[in-house]
Amino acid sequence: MKTLALITILSVFSMGLTSMAQANSKESYYTNKMANYATIIGRATACGSDPTKELKKVGVWMDQWFDELNLSQKMRATYLNIFMEGTKHHLLQQKSGNSPDTCKSVQKAFRSL
């Protein structure tokens, strides 16, 4: 009986760990995608693109995954700040010539958003 109880507890615990790992994996996927958007939008803005439409699309997308992951308002604000700082960083890198991408390749990626 004790063995069965222990197996049941370990099974429930491992399901919880699997669920946590999936949540962390999902959050990691979203944050990587967010970083890619910040890079493309920042660089494209430095190359003369108007990011208004794309920023709105990314904002809607971020709200969706914030809700999906049930993030607190504090975490939402943190992610938004990280996104905007990343966008600014890549804009400045592109402007100063410290980006590995040409404006032509950046514009192509930007149009695909």
Side-chain angles (χ1 to χ4, degrees), residues 9-23:
I9 290 169
L10 289 174
S11 294
V12 170
F13 181 72
S14 71
M15 284 188 284
L17 288 177
T18 301
S19 178
M20 283 175 51
Q22 288 172 342

Side-chain angles (χ1 to χ4, degrees), residues 38-57:
T39 301
I40 294 167
I41 291 172
R43 290 179 183 174
T45 302
C47 291
S49 293
D50 178 0
T52 306
K53 185 174 91 175
E54 288 73 14
L55 285 171
K56 285 181 184 177
K57 286 178 11 183

Side-chain angles (χ1 to χ4, degrees), residues 13-104:
F13 181 72
S14 71
M15 284 188 284
L17 288 177
T18 301
S19 178
M20 283 175 51
Q22 288 172 342
N24 286 339
S25 175
K26 195 173 265 193
E27 188 170 1
S28 179
Y29 166 78
Y30 288 137
T31 56
N32 286 337
K33 194 168 179 175
M34 180 186 77
N36 289 336
Y37 284 144
T39 301
I40 294 167
I41 291 172
R43 290 179 183 174
T45 302
C47 291
S49 293
D50 178 0
T52 306
K53 185 174 91 175
E54 288 73 14
L55 285 171
K56 285 181 184 177
K57 286 178 11 183
V58 171
V60 168
W61 170 77
M62 288 176 78
D63 283 340
Q64 289 171 344
W65 69 267
F66 288 169
D67 290 344
E68 182 181 331
L69 296 177
N70 196 28
L71 297 178
S72 68
Q73 289 301 318
K74 184 176 180 179
M75 282 303 297
R76 290 171 188 244
T78 299
Y79 276 125
L80 288 171
N81 189 43
I82 290 168
F83 174 75
M84 293 311 296
E85 287 297 318
T87 302
K88 179 182 173 183
H89 169 77
H90 289 288
L91 180 147
L92 295 173
Q93 290 294 101
Q94 186 73 33
K95 268 188 160 181
S96 66
N98 292 325
S99 168
D101 300 313
T102 65
C103 279
K104 183 177 179 179

